[in-house]
Amino acid sequence: MEELLEAIRNPFFIAYISVLLTFCVVNGSQQLGDKVELEFQAFRLQQYELNGNIIGSKTFRVQYEAVSLNSKALRRCVVTSWRELTGHTNLDDLLVNSVGALLIIIPSDLDALSPADKTLFSELERRLAAARTELAVYVIYSSPEASAILSDVQSSSGVTKSATQQLINSVAANTFQFTSTGSHSSNALTYKPNNIIGRLSSIDRSAPTIAFVAHYDSHAAFPGAAVGADSNGSGVVVLLELLAIFRKLYEKPTTRPPFNLVFVWTAAGKYNYQGARQFVEDFQSDSSGKIEFFRIICTVYLKKQFIFVQDDHRLELAICVEAVGGAGPLRMHASKQPADGSAADRLLRRLRLAAPNQSVELVTKKISMNQPSAWEHEKFNIKRLPAVTLSRLSTHDDPIRKSMLDTPSQLSLEVLEQNIRRVITIAEAVLGHMLSLPEGGYSADPRISADTSVLSRDAVDRQRLAHAIRLFAGRPRPVADEAATMACAANLAVAVGNHAKVTVSPVSMHEVQIWPGISDRLMAERVKPAVFDLVIAGGVFAYLAAFYHLVSRAQHVLESAMLKLRKRV
């Protein structure tokens, strides 16, 4: 008996029992309740720097317990619905505080929202798009599993009437822990997206040039969830259709008009039109190089000095196209009122004459040098090149230009086809000007309709149009996703190559830095709160202390018992 008691009192035995019980109880506490693991596709808030201004979220890692929006806990993942967040008056304070992460559940079908809800959703997007935060901010689409987690988190994080019940919930209630599974680089992207350029050349290479321009990237506060169907998937599709139509005029030398056509699909349009800036710089650099070459030739071989004036005005007009797929009148945006007799003025007059039953509004906006460009044509105007933008939008700050609400269902194939015909009418106005055709019609014969067209009204191929919409206006194309951007550019190069000579021109991102990590897989695991493990550990140590106390006094108790037995005997 004394040997047994001596073994129990041994410190090594006590330490062994302590470690064993602590491991078993604490590890077992994590298995309490139903352990559930769910995986969600999440889209991260944008992160970029434009002209020194840092926008978006700097963090992408998540490993926090889930709490409700009204919880006061720190270093947690706040889980909320978009509608609940729109009614939260302290959104800015929430983004500033170091709560850890913010997970927003948005509708799985954004098209099903009512007009009032779309207005609320758009306002929430606007506030998040301007945010600058240290939080990891994600959105996930609504699902039965996501709704169940939100309901569970709200019930467990809610304030109960009883303080005792609140204490019990904070210790013993089940909760969820969200963990990000991706491993993104913390360095900005260094790749160069590409401009895709298609050319239809006149016989006379010195002929004036008309450029059709559209940026092909999409963007929103959460770029990975932004399809950008109308802005600017519709512009991409319009240029492809125009290229296919005009190609027929350039197949034979005898039918080529006396001017060159250039079709430009620019990259990084959502970041102050980096692709348009690069194209303008390359265009003017190419012109300057040719002039310098002829200057050297004349000086060396002809022994004469000539004064050459760079003719930047060989660009007759750049027509930028954006957001023409929805309903509404077509508008021509310009930096100022076109001068009488200018290319833009003649095009506008010819367009209005060609479509007397459809209003074509001229919208002017001055260029602000201290702000990012409002429209793509401003990049041309800054370099004193004539340019306008065609769009159904009435203002440059229309929220649909950078919104997740810009979905493929917003595109109307009939309206898009109608607007393409309007763009064709503008192109015909250019042809009419270059060929000195009368503005009132191509013939004074009353038997010939005034709206007679040089191009066939059946030139628009609906099947070709629908295929282009599916390919270029049905999936996200954010610059932050290098693979998606390069794939889109490659598909464009193939499509353009079927009709014209293709040039792929890399774009230097001088003004902007963009960070990767537009999406991630979030794991949700049902666990007990961390304080539950502390309570269990405290109970284990209390039990071990009592056990040690009993063991320490066991010999004295047994000796007393044996002594009493001997006395009785």
Side-chain angles (χ1 to χ4, degrees):
M1 178 64 69
E2 292 182 358
E3 293 179 355
L4 176 62
L5 294 175
E6 188 65 27
I8 293 176
R9 287 200 301 265
N10 191 306
F12 293 102
F13 177 78
I14 298 297
Y16 172 76
I17 293 296
S18 301
V19 173
L20 179 63
L21 290 177
T22 302
F23 174 79
C24 293
V25 175
V26 174
N27 185 66
S29 70
Q30 297 181 357
Q31 308 301 323
L32 295 178
D34 297 328
K35 184 177 180 180
V36 178
E37 288 187 358
L38 298 172
E39 186 176 7
F40 298 95
Q41 176 70 31
F43 302 98
R44 176 174 168 251
L45 184 65
Q46 62 189 353
Q47 182 186 6
Y48 69 94
E49 180 180 345
L50 181 62
N51 293 328
N53 297 321
I54 300 176
I55 304 295
S57 171
K58 294 184 178 181
T59 309
F60 62 86
R61 292 186 178 88
V62 177
Q63 193 171 6
Y64 303 109
E65 290 181 7
V67 296
S68 65
L69 180 61
N70 296 322
S71 175
K72 302 299 182 181
L74 297 178
R75 309 306 299 171
R76 297 291 187 266
C77 177
V78 175
V79 181
T80 181
S81 67
W82 74 272
R83 192 181 299 277
E84 185 180 9
L85 194 60
T86 56
H88 192 67
T89 57
N90 297 323
L91 177 59
D92 295 336
D93 294 339
L94 175 65
L95 295 175
V96 171
N97 293 333
S98 298
V99 298
L102 175 62
L103 181 61
I104 308 169
I105 301 176
I106 62 175
S108 57
D109 185 7
L110 294 173
D111 296 324
L113 293 176
S114 65
D117 285 343
K118 287 184 178 180
T119 301
L120 291 175
F121 189 88
S122 180
E123 175 62 19
L124 177 61
E125 274 192 300
R126 184 192 64 80
R127 296 173 66 185
L128 291 172
R132 177 180 177 181
T133 178
E134 300 288 341
L135 306 183
V137 183
Y138 287 89
V139 296
I140 61 174
Y141 287 113
S142 178
S143 65
E145 294 80 8
S147 299
I149 290 178
L150 177 60
S151 177
D152 196 340
V153 169
Q154 289 176 337
S155 61
S156 61
S157 300
V159 178
T160 60
K161 296 181 179 180
S162 171
T164 303
Q165 184 63 37
Q166 179 70 19
L167 178 61
I168 294 175
N169 289 342
S170 64
V171 174
N174 291 326
T175 186
F176 283 90
Q177 176 172 300
F178 282 91
T179 305
S180 56
T181 60
S183 178
H184 304 293
S185 173
S186 58
N187 299 323
L189 294 171
T190 57
Y191 86 103
K192 294 183 178 181
N194 295 319
N195 285 345
I196 307 300
I197 305 171
R199 289 183 171 86
L200 297 176
S201 300
S202 173
I203 298 177
D204 183 5
R205 293 302 180 92
S206 62
T209 298
I210 297 175
F212 294 92
V213 185
H215 60 273
Y216 63 82
D217 58 309
S218 62
H219 187 69
F222 298 88
V227 176
D230 196 13
S231 180
N232 192 28
S234 64
V236 172
V237 173
V238 164
L239 261 65
L240 286 172
E241 190 66 18
L242 286 176
L243 175 61
I245 294 171
F246 282 120
R247 187 276 307 265
K248 298 178 181 179
L249 296 176
Y250 286 80
E251 287 180 341
K252 299 179 180 179
T254 56
T255 60
R256 292 182 185 179
F259 59 92
N260 303 309
L261 291 184
V262 178
F263 297 82
V264 189
W265 290 265
T266 58
K270 302 298 185 180
Y271 297 95
N272 201 20
Y273 304 105
Q274 297 300 302
R277 173 195 54 77
Q278 185 71 59
F279 173 75
V280 171
E281 291 178 358
D282 294 343
F283 180 83
Q284 293 188 323
S285 175
D286 181 62
S287 299
S288 299
K290 291 180 179 179
I291 290 175
E292 184 62 25
F293 172 77
F294 284 112
R295 187 195 305 276
I296 294 174
I297 292 296
C298 293
T299 302
V300 174
Y301 292 97
L302 301 180
K303 306 299 182 182
K304 294 181 179 180
Q305 294 288 339
F306 289 86
I307 298 177
F308 289 86
V309 179
Q310 181 174 340
D311 186 14
D312 284 341
H313 295 288
R314 69 188 182 93
L315 179 66
E316 182 77 5
L317 187 65
I319 304 173
C320 305
V321 182
E322 179 179 355
V324 294
L330 190 64
R331 296 175 173 89
M332 178 184 290
H333 294 268
S335 300
K336 61 181 180 180
Q337 182 73 28
D340 291 340
S342 65
D345 177 64
R346 292 193 298 270
L347 286 174
L348 182 60
R349 286 191 283 110
R350 288 178 179 272
L351 178 61
R352 287 172 172 171
L353 289 172
N357 298 326
Q358 300 175 357
S359 62
V360 180
E361 181 183 357
L362 174 66
V363 182
T364 60
K365 179 188 177 300
K366 293 183 178 180
I367 298 176
S368 176
M369 301 301 295
N370 298 325
Q371 298 292 332
S373 298
W375 295 100
E376 195 159 14
H377 70 263
E378 293 185 2
K379 290 300 182 185
F380 292 82
N381 296 157
I382 290 174
K383 297 297 184 178
R384 300 184 181 279
L385 296 175
V388 295
T389 294
L390 297 180
S391 176
R392 67 174 181 85
L393 304 179
S394 60
T395 177
H396 70 281
D397 55 3
D398 193 306
I400 200 64
R401 297 182 74 190
K402 295 182 179 181
S403 175
M404 290 182 286
L405 296 173
D406 187 7
T407 59
S409 63
Q410 303 300 314
L411 288 182
S412 169
L413 193 61
E414 291 76 14
V415 173
L416 180 58
E417 182 177 323
Q418 181 182 7
N419 285 331
I420 287 179
R421 294 182 187 278
R422 293 175 182 173
V423 177
I424 291 175
T425 304
I426 293 179
E428 288 181 346
V430 177
L431 285 172
H433 167 71
M434 300 302 296
L435 299 176
S436 300
L437 297 177
E439 293 185 4
Y442 297 142
S443 175
D445 192 333
R447 293 173 298 178
I448 299 178
S449 175
D451 62 352
T452 300
S453 173
V454 174
L455 301 175
S456 172
R457 292 298 180 181
D458 297 327
V460 177
D461 189 326
R462 292 179 62 89
Q463 184 176 0
R464 183 174 59 202
L465 196 64
H467 174 71
I469 290 176
R470 289 193 300 269
L471 187 59
F472 298 106
R475 62 191 68 178
R477 308 170 302 281
V479 181
D481 188 343
E482 180 177 354
T485 299
M486 300 304 287
C488 181
N491 290 333
L492 274 173
V494 172
V496 175
N498 293 329
H499 306 290
K501 179 181 178 181
V502 182
T503 301
V504 177
S505 175
V507 177
S508 298
M509 309 285 279
H510 295 314
E511 304 172 357
V512 63
Q513 283 187 309
I514 305 172
W515 278 263
I518 61 171
S519 64
D520 206 340
R521 309 293 297 185
L522 296 185
M523 297 294 299
E525 179 182 3
R526 186 186 292 274
V527 296
K528 288 291 185 181
V531 68
F532 180 78
D533 291 341
L534 295 178
V535 172
I536 293 297
V540 169
F541 283 113
Y543 166 77
L544 292 176
F547 179 77
Y548 179 78
H549 177 73
L550 291 176
V551 170
S552 299
R553 295 183 56 82
Q555 182 177 0
H556 176 71
V557 173
L558 289 176
E559 289 178 351
S560 299
M562 293 295 295
L563 182 60
K564 290 180 180 180
L565 288 174
R566 288 176 183 176
K567 288 181 178 181
R568 291 180 180 180
V569 174

